[in-house]
Amino acid sequence: MEKAIIMAACALGAGISMFGGIGPGIGEGYAVGKACEAIGRQPETKGDVTTTMLMGCAVAETTGLYSLIIAMLLIFVAPGLFIGKL
Amino acid sequence: MNVEITGARIFLRLPFGILITETQVNMWIIMLVIALLCKWLTHNLKIKPAGKRQVVAEYLVTMANNFVVTNMGKSFKSFAPFIGALFTLSLLCSLSGLFGLYPPTADLNTTLGFATVTFVLIMYYKLKTNGLKGYLKGLAEPIPVLAPFNIIGEFSTPISMAIRMFGNISTGVVISTLVYAALAWLSSVVLQWLPGALASIPILQLGLPAILSIYFDLFSSVLQSFIFCMLTVLYIAQEAKSE
């Protein structure tokens, strides 16, 4: 019984922690939209704008990746850790 | 259906808790490949390029030099070999997933190792430009109460760099494993009316994993290696210039 509760809590926690993926999604979408606007206005700067945009996107992704790490820890590490202590 | 998602397998347990894992063995293979590639590209060079081999080698070196000079300035040209090596190693580590190897960069230890090198360089240039006293004073800015946050900020740079690369590559590994397992299950359900061993052929595994592989293995690997080098270059240049 306790085992089932722990597994369920870990799975739920992992799912909830991935809500953190919403932030980078919105942010990166905004950044890419602005980059498209910039390229539309000045098509000759396409290379520079694309490089800068990819850099910014990768940096903005970090918060989402933190929540991904938490989710992976909850799925792969936490159940063994807590069930071992029962 | 069974889905097995594991980290790097342990091949050998040496005394004193030293483990020889899949990560290390794959890393050795990649190091060997890079060494042989360098040897092959640079042997028997001539002043006038004779074949395609030397043109490729010169192009790669010029590219590394240009990347460093445009982003850091002329005085840092000696950084080009380091950045080139970092880029090649991390790129080949990530791309090794295409050959069915376990990518070493899907292990947090590898990426933390890369990030530690960067961190040491950043700290060296920080101390060199500001001096120890100036550096410690800089931690207590703008007001001394914020010093703990500044110290956390110092350490968050390498950790975020390591986690960025690890997260992207290991997500690719996890998601492609899940997709393969799901497609195997789906094709066994769809084909169960076939007799005997024919039903166990996972025919639906054709196609979709290849498209995912283009994104996760090719695009993500190149982008993450590029970003890692770019951030290294930018952080070092920023610290060296801020007087």
Side-chain angles (χ1 to χ4, degrees):
Chain A
M1 185 64 196
E2 284 127 335
K3 229 177 176 178
I5 291 175
I6 287 175
M7 294 298 276
C10 286
L12 270 179
I16 292 169
S17 87
M18 279 318 290
F19 274 123
I22 294 174
I26 295 172
E28 283 177 24
Y30 196 71
V32 176
K34 285 286 177 191
C36 287
E37 274 177 28
I39 294 172
R41 223 177 292 127
Q42 286 168 307
E44 68 275 10
T45 60
K46 188 171 179 235
D48 283 347
V49 169
T50 312
T51 316
T52 317
M53 182 202 75
L54 284 177
M55 273 287 297
C57 280
V59 174
E61 223 171 41
T62 313
T63 49
L65 286 172
Y66 286 148
S67 65
L68 174 77
I69 298 293
I70 301 292
M72 280 169 89
L73 284 176
L74 276 172
I75 291 174
F76 294 121
V77 182
L81 202 69
F82 292 132
I83 289 172
K85 275 190 185 156
L86 279 182
Chain B
M1 71 189 212
N2 289 319
V3 189
E4 280 268 327
I5 301 173
T6 53
R9 282 181 196 83
I10 296 168
F11 287 147
L12 197 64
R13 285 174 194 273
L14 296 181
F16 308 113
I18 301 170
L19 301 175
I20 303 293
T21 60
E22 214 173 351
T23 310
Q24 277 156 308
V25 175
N26 289 353
M27 199 72 167
W28 291 334
I29 296 172
I30 289 157
M31 279 154 65
L32 197 70
V33 168
I34 292 177
L36 290 177
L37 204 67
C38 288
K39 186 79 189 141
W40 179 70
L41 279 173
T42 55
H43 82 271
N44 196 11
L45 292 180
K46 297 193 179 73
I47 293 177
K48 276 196 172 178
K52 274 183 191 152
R53 185 170 51 83
Q54 189 175 346
V55 174
V56 170
E58 281 177 7
Y59 176 71
L60 291 176
V61 172
T62 317
M63 213 162 64
N65 278 338
N66 280 344
F67 179 74
V68 171
V69 168
T70 47
N71 288 309
M72 293 172 95
K74 272 227 160 72
S75 54
F76 283 98
K77 210 182 167 193
S78 57
F79 261 92
F82 168 65
I83 300 295
L86 192 64
F87 183 75
T88 319
L89 187 60
S90 54
L91 182 67
L92 285 190
C93 278
S94 308
L95 285 184
S96 67
L98 280 178
F99 299 101
L101 293 172
Y102 178 82
T105 37
D107 192 333
L108 189 54
N109 299 317
T110 314
T111 53
L112 262 180
F114 290 163
T116 310
V117 175
T118 304
F119 180 63
V120 169
L121 276 172
I122 293 172
M123 288 308 273
Y124 172 74
Y125 276 97
K126 251 182 193 170
L127 291 177
K128 200 179 167 194
T129 44
N130 300 322
L132 186 59
K133 213 172 156 192
Y135 170 66
L136 290 176
K137 209 188 263 173
L139 282 181
E141 276 173 0
I143 45 172
V145 185
L146 291 176
F149 296 101
N150 283 329
I151 292 169
I152 293 173
E154 290 288 295
F155 286 102
S156 79
T157 307
I159 290 176
S160 75
M161 281 172 86
I163 284 185
R164 188 173 301 129
M165 199 161 189
F166 160 73
N168 273 285
I169 308 297
S170 64
T171 317
V173 174
V174 170
I175 290 182
S176 35
T177 315
L178 285 178
V179 167
Y180 265 113
L183 288 177
W185 174 79
L186 196 65
S187 55
S188 76
V189 168
V190 172
L191 299 178
Q192 60 181 318
W193 49 273
L194 283 174
L198 274 179
S200 61
I201 298 173
I203 189 126
L204 290 176
Q205 281 185 355
L206 291 172
L208 182 63
I211 297 166
L212 281 179
S213 169
I214 288 176
Y215 176 75
F216 282 121
D217 285 332
L218 273 176
F219 178 72
S220 205
S221 314
V222 176
L223 187 65
Q224 290 310 316
S225 308
F226 176 71
I227 281 162
F228 197 90
C229 292
M230 191 80 177
L231 286 179
T232 307
V233 159
L234 289 181
Y235 280 133
I236 294 171
Q238 184 194 348
E239 292 315 326
K241 274 171 198 154
S242 63
E243 265 113 318

